Each structure stands twice: as C-alpha cells, then as structure tokens.
Amino acid sequence: MATILVTGGCGYIGSHTCVELINSGYDVIVLDNLYNSKEVVLDRIKMITGIRPKFYKVDILDREGLNRIFDENKIDAVIHFAGYKAVGESVSIPLTYYKNNISGSINLYEIMKDHGVKTLVFSSSATVYGDPASVPIKEDFPLSTTNPYGTTKLQNEQILKDVYVSDNKWSILLLRYFNPIGASKSGLLGETPNGIPNNLLPYIAQVATGQRDFLRVWGNDYDTVDGTGVRDYIHVVDLAKGHCKAIEYALKHEGVECINLGTGHGYSVLQVKDAFEKACGKKIAYKIMDRRPGDIATCYADTSKAKEMLGWQAEYNIEDMCNDAWNFASKNPNGIE
Ligand code: WQD
C-alpha cells in the first residue's frame, strides 16, 4: 500500500486524518514541529489504530530535515497540513505567517520535486472565498482574502497551480475546508487550542467545562436566521475521510483541482450553542457582543464537486459533532496532555 507523508500530522485535522489513512491500509509517516501540537497524539493514534506512525520532529523551514525524510523513506504522496492557522494572530505577525506558510511550503514542494514525489493534497480553506456574493459557495466563485492567514492559503493554491502548469506530471488537490469541529468517537483525539480559543466550538466547550464563564457571541445583527453568523460546520472525522478519498483519487490522476469539503448546511452561532447544550446537558451562558472585525454573515458550501469527483459526502450531523466534541472535552478538559 502507498506511503503517505502527513505534515502537521500531530495537529487536530492531521491526527484524525492519520487514523483514517491507517484504517484504510496506508503506511503513514508524520512530520510535525510540535509548535501547536504534542507528540503524545501519536500514542493516541496507536490506541485507536494499533499503529504509531513513524515520526520526524522537523520544521518545514528545515530543508535538511525535509531532505532526510525523503532520503530515508519511499514516499508516494504528501498531505500538507503544517502551517500557522490563527486569523487574528496572522494580522499581528504577518511576516511570521508568510515565512512559515509560504517559504516553508515552498521548501516542501521543492524537495518533493527533487525526489520525484508529485502527488499532493493541500490543506486550504473556505477563507479564500472572502465574503461570498451568494451561497452555497462553488469552487469557481471569486477568490479574495482579508487577512494574512487566508492570503497564505490563497498564495499556496496559486503556487501549486503554477507548479502543475510547469509539469503536468503533478497530481494536486486543493481541499477547501469549511468549519471543522467535533472529535474522534473514541474521545482520544480532539481539538486542543493553545490559550483562549478563537473558534466557536472549542470556546463553547470550555464554557461547558467551566473554564470560561460565558460565550461571547460576536454580533447578532447579521442578515441571518437569528442575526448571528452562519457557518458550514463539518465533523472532523468526515473531513479526515474526505482526505482518504482525495489521496485515493490523487494517486490515480494527474492535474490540479480545488474541492470544497463541507456539509452544504449552515448553522448559526445560537443554533450551535443550542445543539451543544443538548449534547452536554448544561446551559451555555452567553452575551451578545459587537461584531468581530473581518467576520462575514453567511458561509456554506456547494458540495457537489466532492461527491462527483471523490465519491465523498459528509455523513455526520450537528448533533453528532456536538456529542463527539463534548465527549472529548469532558474526558480531556485540558486538551491532550
Ligand atoms: C464561527 C462563527 C463567529 C467564536 C475561521 C477561519 C477559517 C477556519 C475556521 C482555519 C462566526 C462566531 C466565534 C466566539 C462567536 N480556520 N464566534 N464567538 O471565523 O468562520 O473561520 O476558523 O482554516 O479559516 O477564518 O470560525 O469558529 O472563529 O467563527 O460568536 O467566541 O462563530 O463570529 O460567526 P470562522 P470561528
């Protein structure tokens, strides 16, 4: 079976993807610099699958370290998650984001090329759509970004499209995630944010575990069902399974394609809060605050291309996502440690 290098494989989406890859019979190698993750995640992956992936503590800015991985292993394809991902942080330290997410990624692509590895699944984001003129969002919608993090995703997409134009032997899938939430049904893997969570679900979970007093709802004056922001939340296990389908496709085809990975359904902040209250059996206190700068009103995916091209669609609903997120949070109140 093929050997897949998963960069950022100790992270939230990366670790769940490793589980699904191993369960699908792939050999998995993990690269991670552990800046925003912990090596103990690999032991959790072994508890779930029986296999602890081969691990390299390497930073994508370390060309020698990257070369060593490709010299020591026959790698058939790469799934590239490694990167900084906090929108707000990217605004305050843009050069760090461009250096890591762009220069680091270019190192990876160059070393892949040097070793004849030309099959890549890239972790992109729905953030490249900016504030869409309409929903559901299709892959051919206009692209724009409003923060350095989103710009690094868009620039990586453009770099990879140009790589394919220069060499049609490449097989590249640019997966645009909507809002990943939830956790492994085992309760062994889940989201472990550093510091104060920026994203909705981990923040709600910390209110439920008593670490936060109340949820700050960033605005209720949007043109949506209840005035709060609407997003396409997708179970992280569905997202991981989508990566398995993507690798299966990429190993058989050449070309470069952008694909939405979402559910096609939008839920508001208050609807998610209600769903989480059902999951945890507690009221989630909240306060309506001013809008968060840069937020958009509504964002959800047209998922037809993923279904047609990959034969994949999300299976879990918002109740599953909240139940699994609560199961993980209640078992790991301080995250994976
Ligand atoms: C969701 C909704 C907030 C927190 C970001 C990135 C995107 C991707 C996912 C990496 C919005 C509201 C949130 C809170 C709130 N990340 N909210 N109180 O902004 O849609 O997307 O994370 O790829 O690239 O842009 O996700 O979870 O931050 O916000 O009211 O404490 O919840 O206003 O409507 P977002 P989010």
Side-chain angles (χ1 to χ4, degrees):
M1 197 59 161
T3 297
I4 314 297
L5 172 64
V6 180
T7 77
C10 290
Y12 173 46
I13 303 171
S15 57
H16 285 85
T17 300
C18 286
V19 167
E20 299 305 325
L21 287 168
I22 293 167
N23 288 343
S24 300
Y26 292 103
D27 292 325
V28 171
I29 298 171
V30 168
L31 169 164
D32 205 302
N33 69 356
L34 302 180
Y35 168 78
N36 197 18
S37 56
K38 294 175 181 164
E39 189 177 348
V40 68
V41 164
L42 301 176
D43 300 319
R44 296 286 182 100
I45 291 171
K46 182 173 181 181
M47 289 166 77
I48 298 169
T49 66
I51 293 174
R52 191 181 197 271
K54 189 173 186 181
F55 174 58
Y56 288 84
K57 185 177 182 294
V58 166
D59 191 304
I60 53 176
L61 289 168
D62 170 11
R63 291 182 63 91
E64 286 315 304
L66 284 170
N67 255 314
R68 189 170 73 251
I69 296 171
F70 283 82
D71 287 341
E72 293 177 1
N73 302 277
K74 183 190 173 303
I75 290 165
D76 297 295
V78 176
I79 302 182
H80 181 31
F81 292 105
Y84 297 152
K85 62 162 193 169
V87 169
E89 184 183 59
S90 77
V91 174
S92 56
I93 51 171
L95 293 176
T96 304
Y97 268 67
Y98 286 115
K99 183 175 178 186
N100 188 70
N101 291 6
I102 302 294
S103 303
S105 295
I106 289 172
N107 281 345
L108 174 68
Y109 307 151
E110 284 182 329
I111 287 158
M112 285 177 68
K113 180 172 72 69
D114 295 347
H115 290 79
V117 180
K118 299 181 179 180
T119 302
L120 172 71
V121 171
F122 173 68
S123 167
S124 191
S125 167
T127 203
V128 301
Y129 294 115
D131 190 356
S134 63
V135 282
I137 300 171
K138 281 184 171 293
E139 286 85 352
D140 62 358
F141 271 27
L143 304 177
S144 69
T145 54
T146 58
N147 59 77
Y149 160 76
T151 302
T152 67
K153 289 299 185 185
L154 188 53
Q155 288 179 340
N156 265 287
E157 288 196 5
Q158 190 53 60
I159 289 164
L160 291 167
K161 286 172 184 172
D162 292 343
V163 164
Y164 174 70
V165 168
S166 74
D167 177 354
N168 289 171
K169 291 291 178 199
W170 282 78
S171 170
I172 300 168
L173 292 182
L174 309 168
L175 302 184
R176 292 170 178 168
Y177 313 153
F178 282 69
N179 288 60
I181 63 170
S184 160
K185 297 228 173 269
S186 66
L188 291 168
L189 291 176
E191 197 168 5
T192 304
N194 278 337
I196 301 173
N198 298 304
N199 296 138
L200 178 65
L201 223 288
Y203 200 102
I204 289 179
Q206 290 191 4
V207 174
T209 56
Q211 290 162 282
R212 307 279 165 199
D213 294 333
F214 60 89
L215 169 66
R216 299 161 302 174
V217 176
W218 300 127
N220 70 340
D221 57 351
Y222 290 102
D223 180 16
T224 64
V225 59
D226 58 19
T228 64
V230 169
R231 296 292 185 276
D232 184 333
Y233 297 96
I234 174 170
H235 199 298
V236 67
V237 173
D238 272 328
L239 196 62
K241 289 177 176 175
H243 283 74
C244 280
K245 288 286 192 182
I247 275 289
E248 183 185 336
Y249 179 92
L251 285 167
K252 293 175 190 161
H253 300 81
E254 290 159 358
V256 57
E257 295 284 352
C258 310
I259 304 178
N260 289 339
L261 293 188
T263 67
H265 304 289
Y267 288 96
S268 75
V269 174
L270 294 180
Q271 287 171 334
V272 173
K273 177 200 65 74
D274 292 346
F276 202 89
E277 286 179 339
K278 287 198 188 95
C280 69
K282 307 177 184 187
K283 292 302 280 180
I284 301 291
Y286 69 95
K287 283 182 186 167
I288 303 296
M289 317 294 278
D290 290 338
R291 292 183 177 190
R292 181 171 66 177
D295 271 356
I296 60 176
T298 300
C299 175
Y300 58 87
D302 177 304
T303 59
S304 52
K305 185 172 180 182
K307 186 161 174 49
E308 286 152 20
M309 250 186 84
L310 305 180
W312 170 91
Q313 63 184 13
E315 295 166 5
Y316 294 114
N317 61 32
I318 195 70
E319 286 75 25
D320 297 316
M321 296 178 218
C322 291
N323 286 334
D324 296 335
W326 172 241
N327 180 43
F328 173 76
S330 54
K331 289 175 177 170
N332 305 271
N334 299 315
I336 294 175
E337 50 187 356

